[in-house]
């Protein structure tokens, strides 16, 4: 899994693309960062004794497209008026933000894969190309050589491409 910080940065980058230059309230940016990192709350299940590979274990239902749809709908319905965006556009945006978490995790080189289609299909999936170094679960394991490799990997395979996409969108908007 990429670090929670990297997931949040991706949410903010997607927010910048979605906002199309209009000023958005601080709550929009907070939700963009939080929803992109939210699926990793499932690590709590490990402390509760649920096996990693179970339906509700790490990278299970909380990383699924179904969960992203279910969570993003009420968030959109509660915020579309103050954000000044049609509810269905905001729902689509929040869905993409939350689903980005599982997509990024499917590019990592460790773990059991992502249950994209849970609860309908428990199969865990990875993408064929997995260049992102998997981050350790837990804070203490992150501080050391493994954590530095993870950060370098995230900078190269997530942050850099995100920066290129955001810059390309900015150039395209200015040219239009």
């Amino acid at each position: 899994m990429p670090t929670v910080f990297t997931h949040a940065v991706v949410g903010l980058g997607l927010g910048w693309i979605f906002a199309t230059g209009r000023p958005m309230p601080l709550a929009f940016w907070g939700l963009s960062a939080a929803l992109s990192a939210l699926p990793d709350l499932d690590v709590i299940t490990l402390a509760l004794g649920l096996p990693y590979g179970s339906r509700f274990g790490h990278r299970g239902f909380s990383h699924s497209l179904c969960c992203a749809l279910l969570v993003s709908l009420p968030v959109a319905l509660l915020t579309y008026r103050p954000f000044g965006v049609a509810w269905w556009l905001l729902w689509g945006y929040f869905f993409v933000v939350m689903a980005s978490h599982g997509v990024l995790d499917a590019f990592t080189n460790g773990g059991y894969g992502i249950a994209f289609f849970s609860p309908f299909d428990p199969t865990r999936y990875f993408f064929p190309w997995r260049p992102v170094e998997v981050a350790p679960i837990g804070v203490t394991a992150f501080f050391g050589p493994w954590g530095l490799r993870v950060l370098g990997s995230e900078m190269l395979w997530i942050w850099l491409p995100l920066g290129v996409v955001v810059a390309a969108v900015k150039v395209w908007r200015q040219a239009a």
Side-chain angles (χ1 to χ4, degrees):
M1 82 179 160
T3 59
V4 171
F5 187 67
T6 291
H7 284 297
V9 167
V10 169
L12 294 173
L14 292 171
W16 188 89
I17 292 167
F18 177 79
T20 62
R22 67 178 166 251
M24 296 300 281
L26 187 58
F28 170 83
W29 300 106
L31 282 170
S32 296
L35 286 173
S36 64
L38 185 67
D40 272 345
L41 279 180
D42 66 6
V43 297
I44 293 170
T45 63
L46 297 173
L48 298 175
L50 215 62
Y52 181 111
S54 74
R55 184 174 302 243
F56 293 101
H58 186 52
R59 292 183 167 185
F61 178 73
S62 70
H63 285 59
S64 73
L65 298 174
C66 182
C67 184
L69 275 171
L70 292 173
V71 170
S72 59
L73 178 60
V75 173
L77 291 174
L78 289 170
T79 59
Y80 78 95
R81 283 192 178 110
F83 292 174
V85 178
W87 72 268
W88 54 273
L89 282 175
L90 206 52
W91 183 21
Y93 165 71
F94 285 143
F95 166 76
V96 168
V97 165
M98 195 163 165
S100 74
H101 188 111
V103 169
L104 290 176
D105 281 3
F107 281 109
T108 64
N109 63 3
Y112 288 176
I114 310 304
F116 282 118
F117 306 109
S118 180
F120 309 106
D121 175 13
T123 306
R124 304 284 186 113
Y125 297 91
F126 277 115
F127 292 122
W129 183 58
R130 303 186 320 170
V132 179
E133 181 76 25
V134 70
I137 295 176
V139 177
T140 54
F142 190 78
F143 293 101
W146 187 0
L148 290 174
R149 282 195 317 272
V150 169
L151 288 175
S153 173
E154 290 178 3
M155 296 290 247
L156 178 63
W157 299 112
I158 300 171
W159 289 58
L160 182 61
L162 177 66
V164 169
V165 169
V166 167
V169 168
K170 183 175 182 164
V171 168
W172 180 73
R173 285 184 185 155
Q174 288 175 342

